Amino acid sequence: MTVRVGVIGAGMIGQDHIRRLTEVVTGATVTAVADVDAGRAAEVAARAGATALPSGADLVVSPDVDAVLVTSWGPTHAEHVLNAIAAGKPVFCEKPLATTAEDCLRIVEAERAHGRRLVQVGFMRRFDAGYRQMKEVLSTGSLGAPLIVHCAHRNPTVPESYHSAMAAQDTAVHEIDVLRWLLDDEIVSAQVVTPRATSRRFAHLKDPQIMIFETASGVRIDLEVFVNCQYGYDIQCEVVGEDGLVRLPDPAAVGIRTAARHGTGVLQDWKDRFADAFDTEFREWVASVAAGTEPTGPSSWDGYAATVITDAAVRSLEAGGETVTTDMKPRPAFYGDTA
């Protein structure tokens, strides 16, 4: 079957995913678009050969929509996801699942009441080839028990609208999700400390930040978030085990020798770094919808966990670096035993 997808939110991310669904992924077509800006919805829908609808609520119940993609403003996510669950339609929601833990739990409870998984959250790192290779190595147990994880998430620059809490909420949230998945372990506390600030930042921003997490089994994670590093978009991850370590590979790039130097290029933004992961993410989601099976990507529970952990990190930052426990609810059996 061809999966008919309705897209709520026609901004940059929504348009990129529409391109992906219409030009890259097979087995899907975009049939409806809704956006708070009706003119933009009409323009984007016309380019995709779709129909512009007045609201997300209208789109969810449309008989021409089999599955829903939510790429609207974060505070609206909960409403659209809950509407999709009520309609019994699969829904892919870009992160965050919701902007509060309470709204995430409302989604979790609605999905459990429905009786089967309908929701997938857009944490694309789990679909990246390098992270999947790391997961395979860790799953064999050949490195022994994981002990320490070292990570870095660096951006060349960020706009003036980027504020200090976004280092956890918009940036580190990707590491938070993928590390829960890599380690099959839950994060139970967060601490954020701020070293000497870069002069390249806007005055209101604390940058860089060092985030320290502890998991239920005692693994310690240190994550450098540096969003004005200047030189490029750079993602690093290394898991140290009892008997060895595994490191995330850098993206493949040609080596250049010139002027007595040898080097490789550094990517400049997340869209280039994770383009293949986005494509794989949507291929697998569309395939699950077409087959009528539950999605295998990040769940509503994963969306809830990410929100709780980022909330703890923000509280630590605001408290001057105190360690903050996550106080997460017990994981329902509905979502399995591991992250």
Side-chain angles (χ1 to χ4, degrees):
M1 64 172 288
T2 297
V3 177
R4 301 172 300 172
V5 180
V7 181
I8 303 174
M12 179 187 70
I13 298 294
Q15 291 182 45
D16 194 43
H17 288 338
I18 289 171
R19 176 198 60 78
R20 186 166 283 109
L21 288 167
T22 55
E23 299 178 13
V24 179
V25 176
T26 59
T29 183
V30 175
T31 54
V33 177
D35 191 271
V36 66
D37 182 335
R40 181 166 62 184
E43 178 185 345
V44 172
R47 291 204 304 265
T51 300
L53 294 177
S55 70
D58 292 314
L59 183 146
V60 166
V61 298
S62 169
D64 296 324
V65 170
D66 302 314
V68 178
L69 170 59
V70 178
T71 55
S72 55
W73 186 46
T76 68
H77 286 189
E79 172 192 352
H80 299 314
V81 173
L82 287 166
N83 285 343
I85 293 171
K89 293 184 178 182
V91 52
F92 183 108
C93 181
E94 268 300 347
K95 62 92 177 168
L97 174 64
T99 51
T100 67
E102 292 76 17
D103 276 346
C104 289
L105 285 175
R106 289 173 60 209
I107 292 169
V108 164
E109 293 307 317
E111 190 175 39
R112 291 176 68 195
H114 177 75
R116 68 187 297 268
R117 277 193 58 191
L118 290 174
V119 181
Q120 179 166 322
V121 184
F123 291 119
M124 100 298 286
R125 298 276 186 94
R126 299 191 189 197
F127 300 88
D128 175 73
Y131 279 111
R132 286 188 161 185
Q133 290 167 14
M134 291 183 73
K135 177 72 169 176
E136 290 175 7
V137 171
L138 292 168
S139 296
T140 68
S142 61
L143 303 183
L147 306 175
I148 307 166
V149 183
H150 305 294
C151 295
H153 187 143
R154 304 181 184 117
N155 289 55
T157 59
V158 288
E160 190 169 4
S161 58
Y162 188 101
H163 54 80
S164 296
M166 292 172 70
Q169 296 166 337
D170 282 20
T171 302
V173 67
H174 287 289
E175 274 78 17
I176 286 167
D177 177 74
V178 82
L179 291 174
R180 293 177 58 251
W181 173 71
L182 279 176
L183 299 172
D184 281 340
D185 204 355
E186 197 54 85
I187 292 172
V188 297
S189 71
Q191 180 185 17
V192 180
V193 295
T194 51
R196 177 181 178 178
T198 173
S199 63
R200 308 300 186 187
R201 78 198 193 287
F202 290 104
H204 66 270
L205 179 61
K206 294 180 179 179
D207 184 48
Q209 297 179 26
I210 305 296
M211 302 184 184
I212 302 166
F213 302 103
E214 184 176 8
T215 73
S217 72
V219 177
R220 285 287 187 168
I221 299 164
D222 59 79
L223 166 60
E224 169 204 324
V225 177
F226 187 11
V227 295
N228 288 282
C229 79
Q230 305 300 306
Y231 71 85
Y233 182 77
D234 190 9
I235 303 298
Q236 301 293 325
C237 181
E238 178 180 274
V239 180
V240 181
E242 295 172 311
D243 301 312
L245 64 82
V246 59
R247 182 179 294 124
L248 182 71
D250 286 328
V254 296
I256 302 170
R257 294 171 186 255
T258 183
R261 294 184 180 274
H262 176 216
T264 58
V266 178
L267 295 175
Q268 294 299 299
D269 64 47
W270 53 270
K271 288 184 289 185
D272 290 335
R273 172 62 179 83
F274 289 110
D276 290 343
F278 278 116
D279 293 347
T280 301
E281 175 184 48
F282 275 92
R283 286 191 186 99
E284 294 187 10
W285 178 65
V286 167
S288 72
V289 175
T293 57
E294 294 187 354
T296 58
S299 67
S300 294
W301 185 259
D302 296 317
Y304 162 72
T307 298
V308 169
I309 296 163
T310 57
D311 283 351
V314 172
R315 291 201 304 275
S316 174
L317 176 69
E318 293 172 345
E322 291 183 7
T323 299
V324 177
T325 58
T326 57
D327 297 326
M328 200 175 300
K329 302 289 186 185
R331 185 187 184 97
F334 183 83
Y335 294 103
D337 297 327
T338 57

